[in-house]
Amino acid sequence: MLTSLRPDRDAVSLAVSGLLGGLLLWLLGLHTQGGHPFSAPWVTLVPLTAMAAAELLRRNAPRTALTVGTLALVADQFTRGSLATVLMFTDVMYASVLYGTPAAARRLPVATLLITVASTIGFLAWFRKPEALLIGLVVGLVSFIPALTGVSVRTHRTSAEAARLAAAQTARLAEMDRTQAVVAERARMARELHDMVANHLSAVAIHSTAALSIDDPETSRNALKVIRENSVEGLAEMRRLIGLLREGGENQAPAAAPTLAALDSLIEQTNANGASGGLVCTLEDTREEAAGALPTPVELAAYRIVQESLTNALKHAAPGPVVVRIGRTGELLTVEVTSVFGSRPGPTAPGSGAGLVGMRERVALLGGTFGAAAEPGDGGTKIWRVRAELPVREREMRE
């Protein structure tokens, strides 16, 4: 508590300056009035010293400072008076509004205004002379004007603080938006990278396992051929993605995103990679040519869903047909991939579990629906079905 009442440097400077100024006026014999009950010269120093003490409390205890200052000012009226005492009181009143509680900042200007009006009317009625108005003017200058100045400064400080807090909040929100954008972009890049190279790496893993486990020169030669083809294509896809991300590539033409027109080559590649595992992949495209072109985000998402579904079939599907169906009904594009669900003989590739998550995220970004589950098939077998429905119109897609 004692530490909180410790005056700051400004308060000490004002108190010392006021006290020294009052002493100088007292030594020179300069007073504001005369003929009062306590006319001894030394008595003037008592309210002067009390007012200087109030100055020390102007910031840390403004209410106490105002109380002491008011009593000192009243006491000064019964002495010869000192101009320094009056001037220090104006600063105490100003500080009480500026550093006091919000309630005090609201009440003091009103109270001082009422005191000014009441004193003006009272002295005018008492003396019945126009000069009595000057007394009311002095009261207003000593009390109401400093309180009004304190309100003005406090209002400006509050507005500045509110603006500073608003700017800081805006900066924090901007930083949060930037962080979210970076996270979203990283997720998109990770999803794109996974979809681009997972198919090739899965084929490499399966055929390299087969080459190591089967001691047959012809099998090893075919496996190495497939491994080389997928490695080259995987590297090409990686270069394409890195080219899109590299800075300073203004002179390079951006690589085109894959479309559904490239599904034939994707099916052919899957048949080559899955031949050793008994997979036979076919494409059924029931779309009409008059249906119109698809938006680029929809076509890219559909291609990546087919690509990832074929990668999963290459990793996990049992020998049998893998059917890719593309259809369009009105403003809805349907993508469906089915494969035989069951244990796969021979070498397999490990899965990360990110494929289904990536497909679901792609569909959700476009405002479509996605499902992937095992369903009963013919002959007691189970079919793994991946189905996505994508809205064709861009205005229906989520931002």
Side-chain angles (χ1 to χ4, degrees), residues 197-211 217-235 265-277 279 314 344 347:
V197 302
N199 184 279
H200 302 297
L201 294 181
S202 298
V204 169
I206 291 174
H207 286 82
S208 61
T209 303
E218 186 64 25
T219 301
S220 298
R221 186 179 299 106
N222 293 334
L224 290 174
K225 179 180 178 181
V226 174
I227 290 173
R228 183 185 182 282
E229 292 175 354
N230 282 275
S231 299
V232 172
E233 293 179 4
L235 287 173
S265 59
L266 184 61
I267 297 297
E268 182 180 351
Q269 181 186 28
T270 303
N271 282 326
N273 294 334
S276 60
L279 299 181
L314 188 64
R344 175 190 178 92

Side-chain angles (χ1 to χ4, degrees), residues 1-14:
M1 184 65 180
L2 293 177
T3 303
S4 63
L5 293 178
R6 188 174 184 178
D8 57 5
R9 182 178 300 179
D10 293 338
V12 174
S13 299
L14 290 171

Side-chain angles (χ1 to χ4, degrees), residues 19 26 41-53 68 72 75-76 79 85:
L19 183 60
W26 179 77
W42 65 269
V43 180
T44 307
L45 299 179
V46 176
L48 174 66
T49 305
M51 191 67 74
V68 174
D76 186 67
T79 67
T85 302

Side-chain angles (χ1 to χ4, degrees), residues 149 301 307 362:
T149 304
Q307 185 182 44
R362 286 184 182 276

Side-chain angles (χ1 to χ4, degrees), residues 75-302:
D76 186 67
Q77 305 309 306
F78 294 92
T79 67
R80 287 187 171 186
S82 174
L83 180 61
T85 302
V86 177
L87 293 178
M88 282 193 288
F89 177 80
T90 60
D91 180 70
V92 170
M93 176 63 71
Y94 164 80
S96 298
V97 176
L98 182 60
Y99 302 118
T101 62
R106 292 192 301 268
R107 294 170 184 170
L108 283 177
V110 177
T112 53
L113 177 61
L114 294 177
I115 291 173
T116 301
V117 174
S119 60
T120 302
I121 296 175
F123 282 111
L124 185 62
W126 187 7
F127 292 109
R128 298 181 182 277
K129 293 181 180 180
E131 290 79 0
L133 295 175
L134 297 177
I135 300 177
L137 178 62
V138 171
V139 172
L141 291 175
V142 171
S143 60
F144 176 65
I145 297 302
L148 193 63
T149 304
V151 170
S152 177
V153 174
R154 182 170 183 144
T155 301
H156 284 295
R157 287 189 177 184
T158 302
S159 300
E161 181 66 16
R164 187 189 66 81
L165 292 177
Q169 183 70 15
T170 302
R172 285 194 293 268
L173 291 176
E175 179 63 20
M176 292 174 60
D177 291 341
R178 188 193 68 81
T179 302
Q180 292 176 357
V182 170
V183 172
E185 182 63 16
R186 286 179 177 175
R188 187 193 67 81
M189 291 166 56
R191 183 171 58 244
E192 192 72 13
L193 180 61
H194 175 274
D195 292 344
M196 286 171 54
V197 302
N199 184 279
H200 302 297
L201 294 181
S202 298
V204 169
I206 291 174
H207 286 82
S208 61
T209 303
L212 292 173
S213 60
I214 301 176
D215 188 11
D216 180 65
E218 186 64 25
T219 301
S220 298
R221 186 179 299 106
N222 293 334
L224 290 174
K225 179 180 178 181
V226 174
I227 290 173
R228 183 185 182 282
E229 292 175 354
N230 282 275
S231 299
V232 172
E233 293 179 4
L235 287 173
E237 293 285 353
M238 285 289 293
R239 291 194 191 98
R240 186 181 74 84
L241 180 60
I242 293 173
L244 292 176
L245 300 177
R246 182 183 295 119
E247 296 181 355
E250 294 84 356
N251 297 328
Q252 299 177 0
T259 64
L260 294 180
L263 286 182
D264 291 332
S265 59
L266 184 61
I267 297 297
E268 182 180 351
Q269 181 186 28
T270 303
N271 282 326
N273 294 334
S276 60
L279 299 181
V280 179
C281 187
T282 57
L283 172 63
E284 297 179 5
D285 191 348
T286 60
R287 293 177 298 159
E288 299 178 358
E289 295 183 1
L294 295 171
T296 300
V298 175
E299 196 154 6
L300 176 60

